[in-house]
Amino acid sequence: MVAGAKALDMPILVTEQYPKALGATKQLIKDSLPTGMQAHPKLLFSMCGDDTAGWWAQHSEIRQVLLCGIEAHVCVLQTALDLLDRGIEVHLVVDGISSQRLVDRQVALKRISQSGAFLGTSEMLLFQLMQGAKHPAFKTISTLFKEKRADSPLPGKL
């Protein structure tokens, strides 16, 4: 998602839940971020708290968000609900969202979608943003999806 967002020149916000105790963002992800970008450490589960208020103030024009992250039933859930409360359209990148337990992920995705968010895959959402093969980022983004990827289990009934 980071590579796709960069290709489409989309703003990117990366947060870390209490990195002192839980660990920092994996180096692979850090290496893919735009030059100079740092993850925002946070203590609230949502990424819409005081720790990121400055970022949101600088990006107040945002009306749609592609959301991915770890612990669907905690951080992703609370972030999605906060964004929806702010009137921001939320698109959950289901192949970029995880939880330690499958049932937590399933219930979280269902709860968030019942609250008004949309479910999509990274490929679906990035191609939707491009709208067609004439988009300048088409070749870059198409290349991202030529590599083999594992399926991500989804809730049985949405």
Side-chain angles (χ1 to χ4, degrees), residues 20 29 31 35-36 42 80-81 84 86 90 106 109 120-121 142 156-158:
K20 195 175 358 177
I29 295 172
D31 291 345
T35 305
K42 64 184 181 72
L81 296 177
L84 290 166
R86 293 179 177 195
V90 176
Q106 290 173 327
L109 290 175
T121 64
S142 295
K157 294 181 180 179
L158 293 175

Side-chain angles (χ1 to χ4, degrees), residues 51-84:
D51 298 323
T52 58
W55 190 92
W56 286 107
Q58 291 175 351
H59 297 87
S60 60
E61 76 286 355
I62 291 177
R63 295 289 165 247
Q64 295 177 319
V65 167
L66 304 182
L67 183 60
C68 47
I70 301 170
E71 297 305 338
H73 60 294
V74 181
C75 296
V76 175
L77 170 74
Q78 291 186 34
T79 298
L81 296 177
D82 284 348
L83 291 169
L84 290 166

Side-chain angles (χ1 to χ4, degrees), residues 1-157:
M1 271 315 293
V2 172
K6 281 176 28 180
L8 293 172
D9 198 29
M10 297 168 58
I12 300 169
L13 173 60
V14 176
T15 61
E16 299 173 325
Q17 180 64 38
Y18 195 43
K20 195 175 358 177
L22 300 175
T25 301
K26 296 290 183 191
Q27 194 61 46
L28 178 69
I29 295 172
K30 285 183 179 181
D31 291 345
S32 69
L33 296 174
T35 305
M37 175 181 253
Q38 300 290 321
H40 296 261
K42 64 184 181 72
L43 294 175
L44 289 178
F45 298 128
S46 173
M47 65 189 313
C48 297
D50 292 341
D51 298 323
T52 58
W55 190 92
W56 286 107
Q58 291 175 351
H59 297 87
S60 60
E61 76 286 355
I62 291 177
R63 295 289 165 247
Q64 295 177 319
V65 167
L66 304 182
L67 183 60
C68 47
I70 301 170
E71 297 305 338
H73 60 294
V74 181
C75 296
V76 175
L77 170 74
Q78 291 186 34
T79 298
L81 296 177
D82 284 348
L83 291 169
L84 290 166
D85 283 347
R86 293 179 177 195
I88 296 174
E89 188 175 283
V90 176
H91 297 264
L92 299 173
V93 185
V94 296
D95 52 332
I97 295 174
S98 66
S99 289
Q100 290 182 49
R101 289 172 297 283
L102 182 59
V103 67
D104 288 330
R105 181 175 180 270
Q106 290 173 327
V107 172
L109 290 175
K110 185 164 186 165
R111 163 96 188 275
I112 299 167
S113 67
Q114 288 172 332
S115 298
F118 300 99
L119 302 179
T121 64
S122 54
E123 185 172 4
M124 180 177 117
L125 293 166
L126 291 172
F127 277 82
Q128 182 179 355
L129 288 167
M130 288 189 299
Q131 297 180 341
K134 291 186 179 185
H135 192 284
F138 176 77
K139 193 169 193 168
T140 302
I141 289 176
S142 295
T143 303
L144 297 173
F145 297 105
K146 289 183 180 175
E147 61 192 49
K148 180 116 172 105
R149 293 167 290 152
D151 275 337
S152 181
L154 291 175
K157 294 181 180 179

